[in-house]
Amino acid sequence: HTVEITSSGFNPKDLTINAGDKVIWINKGDKESWPASAMHPTHTAYPGSGIQKCGTGEEGNIFDACKGLKNGESFEFTFNEVGTWRYHDHLDTSMFGSITVK
């Protein structure tokens, strides 16, 4: 599953997937974007995630890009927890979306 990051937001904004599916966010916009689990600024809505884990050995296991993605860069995350998981752009909190995992 792919979510494009554009100047007008995430496309698609809301996505439904199955547990174990991977989502890839690709920045197609002209400014940096940092997709991460809600809520801003802690990023703790998705179980086990949290901005404090960025830069640690746990970084690869959290729903958080942990940095701004430049145009053409991507972030991927595999969702194993069932539920609806809201996320946002840490650098532009007016941009948000959700991933529903069945």
Side-chain angles (χ1 to χ4, degrees), residues 15 30 36 45 48 50-51 65 80-81 93 95 99:
L15 183 64
D30 55 359
I51 196 169
N80 294 310
E81 299 288 334
T93 56
M95 290 177 44
I99 305 293

Side-chain angles (χ1 to χ4, degrees), residues 65-87:
C66 290
K67 67 173 188 164
L69 305 175
K70 294 177 176 36
N71 179 275
E73 292 184 325
S74 64
F75 163 70
E76 62 184 54
F77 184 74
T78 300
F79 288 85
N80 294 310
E81 299 288 334
V82 173
T84 297
W85 308 109
R86 297 184 54 76
Y87 67 93

Side-chain angles (χ1 to χ4, degrees), residues 24-75:
I24 301 170
W25 285 261
I26 301 174
N27 190 347
K28 302 270 185 160
D30 55 359
K31 62 180 182 173
E32 285 191 8
S33 177
W34 177 335
S37 178
M39 298 290 298
H40 182 75
T42 59
H43 308 173
T44 56
Y46 188 82
S49 291
I51 196 169
Q52 78 280 3
K53 294 181 180 179
C54 289
T56 72
E58 295 180 75
E59 182 175 315
N61 301 318
I62 62 174
F63 179 17
D64 195 322
C66 290
K67 67 173 188 164
L69 305 175
K70 294 177 176 36
N71 179 275
E73 292 184 325
S74 64
F75 163 70

Side-chain angles (χ1 to χ4, degrees), residues 1 13-19 21 23 63 79 81-87 97-102:
H1 304 278
K13 183 176 178 179
D14 303 303
L15 183 64
T16 299
I17 64 172
N18 294 311
D21 285 357
V23 178
F63 179 17
F79 288 85
E81 299 288 334
V82 173
T84 297
W85 308 109
R86 297 184 54 76
Y87 67 93
S98 69
I99 305 293
T100 298
V101 182
K102 294 185 174 191

